[in-house]
């Protein structure tokens, strides 16, 4: 198992521990999709997460701390869906996405 895959699996487990059960690995062994527009990848010893144009990073040795930060942002996004979400959802899912995050 690669270092990236192991780190992403640890992060996914920690996200599940804090209530984010629907994050999934997108097929490159280094990236988790947490919610449309919110992704976390592992590279060079860091978890790097991006939401729209906003980019953050967190030490790869602390998947618990990263999961807490990502889960907090996930909850904020779901409570107050950003204006760019609707356009992004249509591009990624097509017009059938409507209001479903």
């Amino acid at each position: 198992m690669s270092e990236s895959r192991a780190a992403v699996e640890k992060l996914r487990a920690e996200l599940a521990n804090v209530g984010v059960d629907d994050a999934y690995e997108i097929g490159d062994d280094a990236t988790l999709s947490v919610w449309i527009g919110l992704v976390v990848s592992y590279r060079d010893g860091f978890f790097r997460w991006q939401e729209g144009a906003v980019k953050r990073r967190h030490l790869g040795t602390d998947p618990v701390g990263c999961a807490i930060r990502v889960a907090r942002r996930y909850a904020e996004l779901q409570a107050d869906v950003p204006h760019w979400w609707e356009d992004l959802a249509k591009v990624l899912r097509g017009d059938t996405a409507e209001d479903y995050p």
Side-chain angles (χ1 to χ4, degrees):
M1 181 180 288
S2 71
E3 177 186 3
S4 297
R5 184 176 185 152
V8 166
E9 286 300 317
K10 286 179 188 175
L11 179 60
R12 184 167 44 182
E14 293 303 333
L15 283 167
N17 286 340
V18 293
V20 180
D21 297 326
D22 49 356
Y24 61 92
E25 199 271 321
I26 65 168
D28 66 357
D29 290 340
T31 307
L32 283 178
S33 177
V34 179
W35 194 58
I36 191 166
L38 177 60
V39 296
V40 183
S41 61
Y42 180 84
R43 188 178 78 233
D44 301 327
F46 287 94
F47 290 109
R48 300 168 191 274
W49 53 284
Q50 181 173 345
E51 164 230 322
V54 177
K55 296 180 181 180
R56 304 273 190 252
R57 72 180 194 170
H58 195 92
L59 282 175
T61 56
D62 183 22
V64 174
C66 184
I68 291 168
R69 289 179 68 194
V70 170
R72 184 180 310 130
R73 186 59 186 145
Y74 174 75
E76 290 170 355
L77 287 169
Q78 288 193 319
D80 186 22
V81 177
H83 62 74
W84 52 261
W85 181 87
E86 196 169 303
D87 293 333
L88 182 61
K90 286 180 181 176
V91 168
L92 295 177
R93 295 183 176 164
D95 290 333
T96 58
E98 297 175 4
D99 294 327
Y100 182 75

